[in-house]
Amino acid sequence: MVPKLDTPEEAVYISELVSKSGLTSPVPLIFQTESALGLVNLREIILALQRSTALRAEAVVFGADDYVSDIRGSRDDIMAVVYARQKVVTLARAYGLQPIDRVYIEYKDT
């Protein structure tokens, strides 16, 4: 899993690192978009990963909490993430990836 992927250049860099490892088949990849910049660049990030011979993007995780913090929103305001969620789902499905919604961070909540 690669967190906080913000630009296609970062995707290319990670792909180059993996290609230098000597692995002969593509490494399955789940990556996260967690910022306004990552969301704006999501299509280009996906395309960069699809061009990679070292990585095989399988899913994109929407990091809602970091995204809300980045846009200076409120975690309690569900509307703060509606657009971002829709964009992540739309682009993921359009390019054959599994969209995964935000992680549950209150794991100690009983």
Side-chain angles (χ1 to χ4, degrees):
M1 179 173 294
V2 176
K4 299 182 188 281
L5 200 49
D6 286 332
T7 67
E9 292 80 14
E10 291 172 347
V12 169
Y13 176 73
I14 292 165
S15 176
E16 289 171 352
L17 286 177
V18 172
S19 69
K20 291 177 184 176
S21 71
L23 296 171
T24 56
S25 49
V27 174
L29 176 70
I30 297 172
F31 69 96
Q32 293 179 274
T33 185
E34 304 178 65
S35 69
L37 181 60
L39 190 67
V40 167
N41 289 326
L42 186 56
R43 179 179 179 273
E44 289 76 19
I45 291 167
I46 292 170
L47 291 172
L49 290 170
Q50 287 185 335
R51 287 189 295 269
S52 170
T53 56
L55 299 170
R56 184 180 70 247
E58 294 189 348
V60 55
V61 177
F62 174 51
D65 291 303
D66 285 341
Y67 173 80
V68 168
S69 176
D70 187 51
I71 65 167
R72 296 184 178 97
S74 169
R75 189 167 178 260
D76 297 325
D77 179 9
I78 191 73
M79 295 308 292
V81 295
V82 169
Y83 166 74
R85 280 183 168 153
Q86 291 172 340
K87 184 169 182 176
V88 169
V89 169
T90 300
L91 287 172
R93 288 297 187 203
Y95 290 98
L97 303 178
Q98 175 69 44
I100 301 172
D101 199 13
R102 69 184 188 183
V103 259
Y104 184 70
I105 63 171
E106 295 178 22
Y107 64 94
K108 293 182 181 178
D109 185 17
T110 55

